[in-house]
Amino acid sequence: MLEQEPLSRYTTWRLGGPARYLVLPADAEDVVRALEMARDRGLPWLVLGLGSNLLVKDSGFPGVVIRPGKGMDRFEMKGATAIVGAGLPTPILARRTAELGFVGVERFIGIPGTVGGGIYMNAGCHGAEFAEVVTEVTVMDERGKAKQLGRRQISFKYRSSNLGPVVLLEAKLGLGEESPAKLKELQGRLFRWRKAGTPFDQPCAGSTFKNPVGPKSAGMLIDEVGLKGYVLGGIQVSPMHANYFVNLGTGTASDALKLIDHVRKTVLKKTGVELELEVKVIG
Ligand SMILES: Cc1cc2nc3c(=O)[nH]c(=O)nc-3n(C[C@H](O)[C@H](O)[C@H](O)COP(=O)(O)OP(=O)(O)OC[C@H]3O[C@@H](n4cnc5c(N)ncnc54)[C@H](O)[C@@H]3O)c2cc1C
């Protein structure tokens, strides 16, 4: 367990103040103990995946951050069902299933989070999302009790689920069969497309806003109101993709929050569309 650990080290935006406690559980028992500690000390708790969809405030998180990773990254195929730990990185899931000739999650190759975060957020891209493949999840509630939920007990929406305050431990994903060569070729194409269209090598948290209902994406609207490339403090609306806000190296969470506010207000004023945050603000 780490104390006063800067969360900027654990988020892809490289932003955020310290966690009072950071726990790196290796198994479900460690998660039980972390939750117990939070309960005993009356502290809030939070699950962190790879921090690729989070904006942690500069003041940090005044409680227990639980980050499933090594030890909780099981990957096993039983027939066409993948049994996966919440800490498994999604790109590894995409690559390994494709290599073994299973189709269903191959398009998630460029989503830089964990399977736990992906299911919790119902992440997706290129017309696919986790909701389509999840058949069962194992979750732990705040009292440390684990239970299985079947697909019909979970409701997924665009970039959200109704899982609530739980720690997702494991999931079963129902996949199909496909030729590994075909899947590899598709993944190569998608990867090149991402590299060309998004600021892949700069710290950011992917799409800042959800795409609104309507013909125009959030990125198109931000571009349309003239904010592509706009800089506030050390955070910039990416000149490559206007819905990605990149940390130029000196950015703070406060800069990011001010930029989000400025973009949201400008888009609303000029287009009438109210953008909703996809990124989750912590702290
Ligand atoms: C360059 C880039 C590209 C991206 N592209 C896409 C994309 O194409 N499509 C897409 O959907 N997203 C995309 N994202 C956003 C992000 O990668 C996804 O939302 C991802 O699934 C988040 O996973 P994570 O492990 O990083 O979760 P985090 O960001 O750490 O957490 C996200 C949420 O999930 C919760 N959570 C995480 N793990 C668990 C768990 N085990 N149990 C319970 N709750 C948990 C957290 O508490 C938080 O509420 C992108 C991000 C970046 C930086």
Side-chain angles (χ1 to χ4, degrees), residues 197 209 211 216-230 237-245 263-264 266-267 270-271 275:
F209 297 103
N211 284 321
K216 290 181 184 163
S217 67
M220 282 178 196
L221 291 165
I222 298 167
D223 193 1
E224 199 173 288
V225 302
L227 288 176
K228 202 175 197 175
Y230 183 85
V237 175
S238 168
M240 258 179 126
H241 188 311
N243 200 19
Y244 281 51
F245 295 4
V263 169
R264 195 168 12 206
T266 310
V267 169
K270 293 194 178 173
T271 71
L275 292 175

Side-chain angles (χ1 to χ4, degrees), residues 79-100:
T81 299
I83 305 170
V84 288
L88 183 75
T90 297
I92 295 181
L93 168 74
R95 192 164 344 104
R96 289 173 88 173
T97 50
E99 280 165 3
L100 293 169

Side-chain angles (χ1 to χ4, degrees), residues 2 24 31 47 50 62 83 86 111 114 170 179 240:
L2 300 160
L24 305 167
V31 178
V47 193
L50 283 170
I83 305 170
I111 301 181
T114 59
E170 221 170 74
S179 113
M240 258 179 126

Side-chain angles (χ1 to χ4, degrees), residues 125-126 187-198 241:
C125 53
H126 313 294
Q187 288 183 326
R189 220 166 353 108
L190 295 177
F191 206 71
R192 283 190 295 280
W193 179 89
R194 265 183 187 262
K195 268 182 101 169
T198 57
H241 188 311

